[in-house]
Amino acid sequence: MDPKLGWYVARSTGITAWALIALAVIWGLLLTTRVLQGHPTPKWLLDLHRFLGALAVVFTGIHLGGLVADNYTHFGVADLLVPFAGSWKPGAVALGIAGFYLLVAVEISSLLMRRIPRVWWRHIHMTSFVAYWATTLHGVTAGTDSSNRVLLAAYVGSAVTITFLTAYRVMVGRGAARPSTRTPTAVAPATTSA
């Protein structure tokens, strides 16, 4: 077995987990602004959002397992679960740990959505933005592939997209693309005087 297998698994699943988090946040913003469809939103669009979030948790778990299995960095379980416990780039790793905990909280709250007050779910779910930014900064500062131009373009592209969609969501509101339910009022024809 290749001694670098743990490292390859950690790198590839870390990038994949980050991409899934970014896609889940973007998809959630598209759903809440109703950009994708009119009202009501088809169930499969919401299911895809949930699937992306769940897959992000799975790939993050594999990422952590790959780091523990890696022979080069020698991460222990405490190094990966306790912020600032390790000696390798402690600030950058702490961002990843914070992002992981927020991601897990969002996922658990989504699974319990029908059992907890809606306002709790909403507040917890809003931390997905913090999870995205924490994991993005984690990837940029701790990731060994952050100098890769394609990955850097993905970081910047997702950040711009999420910033734009968030601003759009805040300025226009939740039902932005919803068709108007009001009936138009009749307009009297303009008269001209000769």
Side-chain angles (χ1 to χ4, degrees), residues 45-100:
L45 294 174
L46 182 58
D47 288 345
L48 179 58
H49 171 66
R50 290 176 177 159
F51 181 71
L52 291 169
L55 259 182
V57 173
V58 169
F59 274 89
T60 302
I62 298 170
H63 172 64
L64 295 173
L67 287 170
V68 171
D70 179 39
N71 298 336
Y72 179 72
T73 54
H74 303 290
F75 280 109
V77 174
D79 298 330
L80 299 175
L81 298 178
V82 180
F84 304 105
S87 59
W88 189 80
K89 298 187 179 184
V93 172
L95 285 168
I97 294 168
F100 170 65

Side-chain angles (χ1 to χ4, degrees), residues 162-184:
I162 288 171
T163 301
F164 171 77
L165 289 172
T166 302
Y168 178 78
R169 167 76 169 80
V170 169
M171 290 188 313
V172 177
R174 181 173 169 81
R178 223 182 283 168
S180 176
T181 57
R182 295 184 310 169
T183 56

Side-chain angles (χ1 to χ4, degrees), residues 183-189:
T183 56
T185 56
V187 178

Side-chain angles (χ1 to χ4, degrees), residues 65-150:
L67 287 170
V68 171
D70 179 39
N71 298 336
Y72 179 72
T73 54
H74 303 290
F75 280 109
V77 174
D79 298 330
L80 299 175
L81 298 178
V82 180
F84 304 105
S87 59
W88 189 80
K89 298 187 179 184
V93 172
L95 285 168
I97 294 168
F100 170 65
Y101 287 142
L102 291 172
L103 179 64
V104 168
V106 169
E107 186 62 25
I108 290 171
S109 73
S110 293
L111 294 172
L112 298 175
M113 185 169 63
R114 298 191 198 300
R115 295 186 179 104
I116 62 175
R118 182 81 172 165
V119 70
W120 291 8
W121 172 84
R122 186 168 175 73
H123 284 34
I124 295 168
H125 214 74
M126 294 302 277
T127 65
S128 60
F129 292 103
V130 180
Y132 164 77
W133 289 107
T135 56
T136 300
L137 290 172
H138 167 73
V140 169
T141 57
T144 56
D145 295 302
S146 60
S147 62
N148 180 301
R149 289 183 184 180
V150 173

